[in-house]
Amino acid sequence: MIKQKIIFKDLGLMDYKSAWDYQEKLLQENVQKKSLGYNHESGVIGNRLPAPDSIITTQHYLLFTEHPPVYTLGKSGKKENVLLDDDELKEKDIQFFNTNRGGDITFHGPGQVVGYPILDLEKFCTDIGKYLRNLEEVIILTMAEYGLKGERSPGETGVWIEPGLPGRERKICAIGVRCSRWITMHGFAFNVNTDLAYFNHIIPCGIMNKQVTSLEKELEKKISMEEVKEKLKMNFEEVFNAELIG
């Protein structure tokens, strides 16, 4: 199977709305390319073969970023899972957005690697469930490099530690995506050196009585963000049989 090429960009610290708008731009560009009727397998546009230099095809991206403190609510989420009112959010300098991704409420902030894959799943596998499991696998493989066992919790998207031990289960990575014509956006939020106190003001992912954790908390030391990003990139290439470029 041919490795897909994915353009990688580290956006650094970027406010949530700007990153969302950028993702939406890349998604819509890909959707527009699909509307031209290009068949990736046959190379046919409509009923004619294109000239070699005129082939229009979708482009994959993987974006990494960190956000200033922000709570984001998925389209199936409930605002009451935010335990602060608008005045309290403003006082604590935390932004809030209703989003078009799946999932419920989560937090993004400094010390967290947020990954936004903009992929054409028709070039991978047209199965959203498998795509979510693959994102989880990228995180699980990365955690294993730090001696931590990341696991899935049945019926709950994301990556957990000790999900089967009541009172001990703790989430280390939230995942929520949107897909339009098999083009993805949004993605994962992996807690590395995240200030976990922010999670005290929400019911994370709408799940009661479960903890949130980070690499720093589990390993009891600060972790290099750049090191984590490099491990995530390598594991993303492995899981998705892809090559990151750029």
Side-chain angles (χ1 to χ4, degrees), residues 19-64:
W20 186 5
D21 289 345
Y22 185 48
Q23 291 180 75
E24 194 72 53
K25 174 179 175 289
L26 297 178
L27 180 145
Q28 293 303 332
E29 286 176 356
N30 276 327
V31 167
Q32 185 175 16
K33 289 175 181 179
K34 286 198 169 194
S35 71
L36 296 175
Y38 177 68
N39 185 310
H40 301 296
E41 294 183 359
S42 67
V44 172
I45 296 179
N47 295 316
R48 63 184 176 81
L49 284 171
D53 60 353
S54 68
I55 291 177
I56 300 172
T57 185
T58 52
Q59 176 62 63
H60 309 297
Y61 296 87
L62 175 61
L63 312 176
F64 279 180

Side-chain angles (χ1 to χ4, degrees), residues 40-211:
H40 301 296
E41 294 183 359
S42 67
V44 172
I45 296 179
N47 295 316
R48 63 184 176 81
L49 284 171
D53 60 353
S54 68
I55 291 177
I56 300 172
T57 185
T58 52
Q59 176 62 63
H60 309 297
Y61 296 87
L62 175 61
L63 312 176
F64 279 180
T65 187
E66 287 181 73
H67 294 307
V70 58
Y71 295 129
T72 68
L73 187 67
K75 57 189 178 183
S76 61
K78 298 178 181 178
K79 180 67 183 292
E80 53 263 38
N81 288 328
V82 182
L83 306 179
L84 301 174
D85 61 29
D86 291 344
D87 289 338
E88 290 171 318
L89 287 170
K90 186 175 181 180
E91 181 184 327
K92 294 181 181 295
D93 198 23
I94 305 172
Q95 290 191 302
F96 171 83
F97 288 94
N98 283 292
T99 75
N100 56 0
R101 63 165 172 80
D104 205 291
I105 192 75
T106 196
F107 169 74
H108 298 312
Q112 182 186 72
V113 178
V114 181
Y116 294 133
I118 316 296
L119 306 181
D120 181 355
L121 292 186
E122 286 192 316
K123 296 180 180 178
F124 292 93
C125 177
T126 51
D127 183 331
I128 294 296
K130 182 174 181 180
Y131 173 60
L132 292 171
R133 302 295 82 76
N134 282 344
L135 291 181
E136 291 167 347
E137 190 64 20
V138 171
I139 304 301
I140 289 169
L141 291 174
T142 302
M143 290 173 62
E145 296 191 49
Y146 290 96
L148 296 173
K149 185 179 181 182
E151 298 182 73
R152 298 176 176 87
S153 180
E156 298 172 336
T157 299
V159 180
W160 300 74
I161 295 176
E162 298 183 315
L165 294 178
R168 290 282 298 163
E169 61 271 78
R170 49 210 189 273
K171 193 170 195 176
I172 196 166
C173 181
I175 295 174
V177 304
R178 176 192 173 206
C179 189
S180 176
R181 293 196 64 184
W182 296 113
I183 306 295
T184 67
M185 64 179 287
H186 299 296
F188 63 83
F190 185 30
N191 296 331
V192 180
N193 301 313
T194 316
D195 182 351
L196 301 177
Y198 283 100
F199 289 95
N200 295 334
H201 305 304
I202 60 173
I203 301 173
C205 303
I207 303 169
M208 295 285 290
N209 303 319
K210 291 190 177 181
Q211 305 171 59

